Amino acid sequence: MDAPSALFDTALARRRLARAQGLGYAGFLVDRLAEDLDDRLGAVLRRFTSVLDLATPVPVAARMLAARYPEARQLRLAARPETGGGLIVGDPEALPLAAGSLDLAVSLLSLHAVNDLPGTLIQLRRALRPDGLFLGCLLGGATLTELRQSFAQAESEVEGGISPRVAPFAAVREAGGLLQRAGFALPVADTDTLTVRYADPFGLMRDLRAMGMTNVLTERRRTPLRRATLLRTAEIYAERFADPDGRVRATFEVLWLSGWVPHETQQKPLRPGTAKTRLADALGTVELKPEGGSTP
């Protein structure tokens, strides 16, 4: 049986990200997420001694980690050589990390573009020590819904068909299930929706190029985008997704994932029937008796 083909052209994705980093990465989104990451780590009441930034496109997360845990050993996985201590050049789908070598791993805006997300999470789970934490975010299913709809309608009108142009992103329920499958305890998945406004759709497209987030789908159409299709896409976008002031909206849905490597000190749910206090008593309410029966 043939192995499934890769969803993303990884080599092309790395070239485009390297180009974006070289020309000046558009970091407004990852900067905001680094602030959110700092807030989330602030609620964790423990110190970490060995931390990893897993392939965040720019070192903003690494700088935040260095400020929060100055005594910790710092590692940063990147796709190409750069300056700076603690840098590992590697592939998020083949982590060059020893088992049990970390107690914290974070990642911002990189995992939505790996071909084997379950495999990456399993490798992270193995690289973390017992009671180690993974905390990261990736783009979710509602991301760029305006651009996706506009391209689909424009291609249908101009070219008589639709080609894949925006990657299929994960849904929050799927993401939480992946953490459980990878063996993480206390898995949590939640979403945050960010809306960015532009003077016109071409501003969004420039920013996507400056983030290395242009189309790298393996099944993408290999012929150049027609000018007529591009202009019609911009027209549809402005018609359907503009605010009263004429500026257009772009949605970025962010999925936050967190999970702990199992450890005996972690809280565990009680077995059914072992509770010693009724929920009604805790809430200060009256427990209603079911019809035809009695309350034990």
Side-chain angles (χ1 to χ4, degrees), residues 125-200:
R125 156 73 177 79
R126 291 172 179 166
L128 287 162
R129 302 177 185 122
D131 207 30
L133 172 65
F134 165 65
L135 177 58
C137 67
L138 60 158
L139 295 178
T143 297
L144 300 177
T145 181
E146 302 90 351
L147 185 62
R148 184 184 295 112
Q149 294 177 51
S150 300
F151 257 127
Q153 183 175 335
E155 281 196 310
S156 181
E157 292 179 8
V158 176
E159 304 184 30
I162 299 174
S163 64
R165 293 195 176 276
V166 180
F169 300 113
V172 63
R173 291 181 180 178
E174 298 169 349
L178 291 178
L179 286 171
Q180 290 182 310
R181 285 174 52 192
F184 284 98
L186 308 175
V188 176
D190 63 90
T191 64
D192 186 16
T193 300
L194 306 177
T195 302
V196 183
R197 302 201 318 142
Y198 291 91
D200 56 55

Side-chain angles (χ1 to χ4, degrees), residues 45-112:
L45 302 179
R46 63 161 292 185
R47 305 298 293 177
F48 298 102
T49 60
S50 182
V51 301
L52 168 73
D53 170 23
L54 176 61
T56 298
V58 286
V60 60
R63 290 194 294 267
M64 183 275 295
L65 290 170
R68 179 170 282 281
Y69 310 112
E71 74 284 359
R73 182 174 67 104
Q74 302 280 337
L75 296 173
R76 186 163 68 91
L77 182 72
R80 64 191 184 102
E82 302 173 29
T83 58
L87 179 70
I88 304 172
V89 178
D91 183 348
E93 297 187 64
L95 298 182
L97 302 169
S101 59
L102 306 169
D103 51 21
L104 172 65
V106 306
S107 181
L108 303 179
L109 293 189
S110 65
L111 296 181
H112 55 265

Side-chain angles (χ1 to χ4, degrees), residues 210-294:
M211 289 188 280
M213 289 176 56
T214 50
N215 187 4
V216 293
L217 292 170
T218 302
E219 299 300 324
R220 68 191 181 279
R221 184 175 293 179
R222 302 308 173 104
T223 56
L225 176 63
R226 295 184 188 179
R227 178 178 174 82
T229 303
L230 178 61
L231 294 177
R232 182 58 182 142
T233 298
E235 289 177 356
I236 295 168
Y237 202 124
E239 291 168 0
R240 296 182 58 185
F241 303 109
D243 290 330
D245 62 0
R247 298 179 69 82
V248 298
R249 304 180 302 277
T251 297
F252 293 89
E253 183 188 23
V254 180
L255 301 186
W256 282 97
L257 306 178
S258 67
W260 295 82
V261 177
H263 188 265
E264 60 184 9
T265 62
Q266 293 168 358
Q267 293 183 340
K268 297 177 177 60
L270 294 173
R271 289 182 290 105
T274 61
K276 298 180 179 179
T277 303
R278 298 188 311 159
L279 179 60
D281 294 338
L283 297 176
T285 62
V286 177
E287 185 174 3
L288 298 178
K289 297 181 180 180
E291 292 185 10
S294 60

